[in-house]
Amino acid sequence: MNGTEPIVVAPELLEARHAVRDVEIPGAKLFRRGKVRTVYEAGPEHFVIVASDRLSAYDSILPTPIPGKGAILSLISAHWMRSLASASPHHLVSDDPADFPEVFRPHAAWLRGRAQLVKKAERIDIECVVRGYLTGSGWKEYRASRSVCGIALPAGLQDGSKLEPAIFTPATKNDTGHDENISFERMATLTGRETAEALRERSLAIYEEARARAWERGLVLADTKFEFGRIDGRLTLIDEALTPDSSRYWDRAEYEAGQLLSFDKQYVRDWLDGSGWDH
């Protein structure tokens, strides 16, 4: 699939009986098992990342998987990486199991759509968050301090207000527990100023290109987060790109009518908050 073709998910992947909660590939060497994705070694320079159908929220895995979720996330991420000029260089090599090492090929039928062969990178431990609209934790912080991650904002903004220009609000990248919002200056002390400025510039460029394209197609890309690493010394987009797990999307028509209709995990968070769960 190239970057201009429509994203198509095989109908059988959306059936409950085909939901993939646990990922096991006999003979493949496990590198890391995350809340949603499992990463396997694929030689000295590559990984294979497999997205399950698990659903996580507030750093917890919920008990019921969503059929096809992993495939949808993987296909969306691949589409953005391939189609956005600003997304290059990125780590994606192929999402065709025929290109994977031999140990993965017997499982090609269920890996197709939900697995990616990627280049290994030296990860930079920063979550590169871009906010083009005020909402979520940013909205909560704004109400308390009229700022977000140390960036002062105008008075009178509301939940859903557009931020022009978009703002870069980094966070620490923690493999366990919550990521911590930090200022740009704090980030610069962790990564070095040159790297910090490069991360900010690249993140904003990807977001702005994607925001414009989403708007043309009836979606509001409210905010997102990226991860980067270095491959052969080059700053490279890794992990995932602009999926409903890493981004907030709203319906444009509803937004223009004054409503925030989410196409992401926000409805799950709202349900959990309303259920009385203590997180």
Side-chain angles (χ1 to χ4, degrees):
M1 182 185 76
N2 65 42
T4 60
E5 293 175 343
I7 297 170
V8 179
V9 180
E12 60 270 17
L13 294 179
L14 305 179
E15 299 175 6
R17 65 192 179 91
H18 290 293
V20 175
R21 177 173 176 82
D22 300 309
V23 174
E24 299 291 344
I25 300 179
K29 183 179 178 181
L30 179 68
F31 175 76
R32 184 174 68 85
R33 195 180 300 278
K35 292 189 291 290
V36 173
R37 289 177 294 172
T38 301
V39 183
Y40 289 97
E41 296 278 358
E45 298 181 354
H46 297 90
F47 290 125
V48 166
I49 300 176
V50 185
S52 73
D53 293 331
R54 295 191 297 270
L55 174 64
S56 68
Y58 296 123
D59 297 316
S60 296
I61 299 173
L62 305 185
T64 306
I66 298 177
K69 174 177 177 285
I72 290 169
L73 295 183
S74 295
L75 291 167
I76 288 175
S77 182
H79 171 82
W80 284 117
M81 285 188 178
R82 289 177 172 135
S83 64
L84 295 177
S86 54
S88 184
H90 54 72
H91 73 165
L92 178 63
V93 176
S94 176
D95 54 3
D96 183 350
D99 297 328
F100 297 3
E102 183 64 34
V103 69
F104 298 95
R105 293 178 198 167
H107 311 285
W110 70 269
L111 286 176
R112 191 172 305 281
R114 68 170 68 249
Q116 298 179 346
L117 179 69
V118 304
K119 297 177 183 177
K120 291 182 178 180
E122 182 183 353
R123 190 180 78 177
I124 299 170
D125 290 334
I126 294 291
E127 290 274 11
C128 294
V129 180
V130 181
R131 303 173 191 266
Y133 295 79
L134 185 62
T135 195
S137 63
W139 168 237
K140 293 178 183 178
E141 186 176 344
Y142 172 82
R143 285 185 293 171
S145 64
R146 222 182 76 181
S147 65
V148 178
C149 293
I151 301 173
L153 297 176
L157 300 182
Q158 303 297 321
D159 188 10
S161 289
K162 186 176 183 180
L163 302 176
E164 197 63 74
I167 60 174
F168 177 74
T169 58
T172 57
K173 173 65 180 173
N174 298 320
D175 288 327
T176 58
H178 294 287
D179 298 332
E180 176 189 356
N181 291 340
I182 57 176
S183 67
F184 178 80
E185 293 303 321
R186 171 61 179 155
M187 171 183 162
T189 66
L190 296 173
T191 66
R193 181 159 296 274
E194 182 178 352
T195 295
E197 290 176 353
L199 289 170
R200 178 171 62 184
E201 179 180 358
R202 184 84 184 281
S203 298
L204 289 168
I206 298 171
Y207 172 78
E208 291 294 0
E209 187 180 355
R211 171 161 72 168
R213 186 174 301 179
W215 183 263
E216 293 171 356
R217 288 157 175 78
L219 293 170
V220 178
L221 176 57
D223 56 37
T224 192
K225 62 181 179 179
F226 303 112
E227 291 187 31
F228 293 91
R230 293 197 181 277
I231 299 176
D232 298 328
R234 302 179 70 195
L235 190 65
T236 301
L237 178 64
I238 63 172
D239 194 56
E240 62 180 342
L242 300 155
T243 75
D245 262 14
S246 63
S247 313
R248 282 189 176 89
Y249 286 98
W250 300 327
D251 181 273
R252 173 181 168 179
E254 293 291 334
Y255 179 78
E256 292 179 319
Q259 302 296 320
L260 304 182
L261 175 61
S262 295
F263 292 134
D264 51 62
K265 293 201 298 187
Q266 191 57 47
Y267 76 97
V268 178
R269 300 185 191 100
D270 292 344
W271 186 90
L272 291 170
D273 290 343
S275 73
W277 181 44
D278 65 1
H279 295 201

